[in-house]
Each structure stands twice: as structure tokens, then as C-alpha cells.
Amino acid sequence: MRCEWCLNDELYIKYHDYEWGKPNYDDKVLYEFLVLESMQAGLSWLTILKKREAFRKAFADFDYYQVAKFHEKRIEELLMDSNIIRNRRKIEAAINNAQRFIEVQKEFGSFAQYLWGFVNNRPIINHYNNIYEIPTKTVLSDKIALDFKKRGFKFLGTTIIYSYLQAIGIINDHIDKCSFKYQNQGDLGGEC
């Protein structure tokens, strides 16, 4: 059994089974999903998954130190890359967010430490019977989005943050009958 949102595409199924809702503490992956989630705004997640490898190539394998140094010439090159989402505001946000990401790392030791600190290093496992019960934002996503904004992050409102938290496993919204709900949850004690 799987959550029904992923059943129409093999790429969706793979993402659902092996990534979505699984706790992640790797700063590089956390940055990758920040970029992908902000790129997804107004589009389907499947569109982003299909372009994921192109994003990886365009954004220096999600090396946030390199992305933080992207300049206007690189932005213009990215705007010509038909393999990614060519939205100037989203591209500029990815660069800005890499810079803010590094600032957070310096302050907290890692981005994972900062982010998982919002939930005391323990994932939130919600219990829903179907995908229609799953919210698009919560008090937690509001709180994190507000903190991101105060820190200068761009293009990351509460709805995008909620999707981000699901993607990186801070929130596990697999429906209760999903066979993958508790797979890859580790010891649930946090690894930051």
C-alpha cells in the first residue's frame, strides 16, 4: 500500500518509497530540497522530480558554497537553460538562500542542527486516513517560514516550508495504511 498521490508515475513512486517522510540530516540534501521546493512553487512536484538531475547539474551538485558565489553571468546562463525552471526570482532565491544557509551553519554548527531543533530532533509522525486530510501548512511551518524570513531567506513561505518538512522527514505524512510510513525512520532519536 502507498499514499495515492504517488501512484501515477514510476519516478513519484521511487521518491515516495525512498525519500519522502524519511528523516534527513545531511546539509547538502537539506539545501537541495530548499532549492527544489522553492522551484516547485506554482508547479507540480513531478515536474521538479523530472528536472532534478538538470537542477543538480545547474546548481553545482547542490554545493551551497559554490552556489553562494554565483554571479550575474551565471544567472544569465541559468536563465537560458531549458532543462530547469527559468525563473529569475527563483534562481536568485537559490543563490541568496545558499548564502543564508551558510550563515545558519556557522551559527548552529550545521543547518540540520538548526532545522531539527524546531522539533527537538524528533520527527513529527502524523496520522491521516487519506491525503485529503493532510494540511498544506501548520503552526510549525508558519514558525519556520517566519524565522527563515527574519534570516533573509527568499521564496520560502509557509506552504513551501510545509512541503519541505515533509520532503526531509521532519514531518511524516504518509497515510496510516501506507506500507512505507515507518520505513527508514532510523531510531527516531535524531542524528544532528
Side-chain angles (χ1 to χ4, degrees), residues 1-131:
M1 293 291 297
R2 290 184 172 94
C3 302
E4 60 250 43
W5 61 263
C6 74
L7 299 179
N8 62 346
D9 187 276
E10 209 46 52
L11 196 55
Y12 250 173
I13 291 171
K14 183 179 176 185
Y15 170 70
H16 169 274
D17 293 359
Y18 298 104
E19 291 185 272
W20 192 68
K22 311 302 187 255
N24 198 301
Y25 307 91
D26 181 325
D27 275 7
K28 185 176 178 185
V29 176
L30 297 180
Y31 175 70
E32 174 181 357
F33 276 104
L34 268 184
V35 172
L36 297 177
E37 291 291 348
S38 67
M39 289 290 176
Q40 188 264 336
L43 303 168
S44 78
W45 185 243
L46 185 56
T47 297
I48 300 305
L49 286 179
K50 288 179 177 178
K51 294 179 176 285
R52 191 175 188 181
E53 289 307 313
F55 279 117
R56 186 168 279 127
K57 182 178 177 184
F59 288 93
D61 196 30
F62 298 108
D63 180 334
Y64 39 88
Y65 287 105
Q66 286 188 45
V67 175
K69 296 175 186 173
F70 282 9
H71 44 74
E72 186 60 34
K73 182 180 178 198
R74 183 67 184 132
I75 293 170
E76 293 301 325
E77 291 170 356
L78 291 171
L79 288 169
M80 300 300 292
D81 186 346
S82 62
N83 296 310
I84 65 168
I85 305 303
R86 296 179 291 176
N87 178 303
R88 177 178 284 277
R89 286 181 56 223
K90 291 180 179 183
I91 291 169
E92 289 173 346
I95 297 164
N96 171 76
N97 294 346
Q99 295 162 355
R100 304 298 75 78
F101 193 95
I102 294 166
E103 291 170 1
V104 169
Q105 281 185 317
K106 288 177 182 174
E107 182 179 345
F108 290 86
S110 73
F111 194 79
Q113 287 275 65
Y114 158 72
L115 200 55
W116 280 91
F118 283 98
V119 293
N120 296 320
N121 297 317
R122 297 193 56 85
I124 295 169
I125 301 174
N126 290 321
H127 297 282
Y128 300 114
N129 293 312
N130 62 65
I131 61 170

Side-chain angles (χ1 to χ4, degrees), residues 116-167:
W116 280 91
F118 283 98
V119 293
N120 296 320
N121 297 317
R122 297 193 56 85
I124 295 169
I125 301 174
N126 290 321
H127 297 282
Y128 300 114
N129 293 312
N130 62 65
I131 61 170
Y132 306 105
E133 296 176 4
I134 300 172
T136 57
K137 64 179 189 161
T138 61
V139 171
L140 176 63
S141 66
D142 290 346
K143 180 179 180 181
I144 294 173
L146 181 60
D147 198 66
F148 272 28
K149 185 176 182 177
K150 287 178 182 175
R151 293 175 180 279
F153 285 86
K154 306 281 186 201
F155 229 93
L156 294 167
T158 187
T159 302
I160 292 172
I161 292 299
Y162 192 80
S163 294
Y164 177 61
L165 298 175
Q166 291 172 311

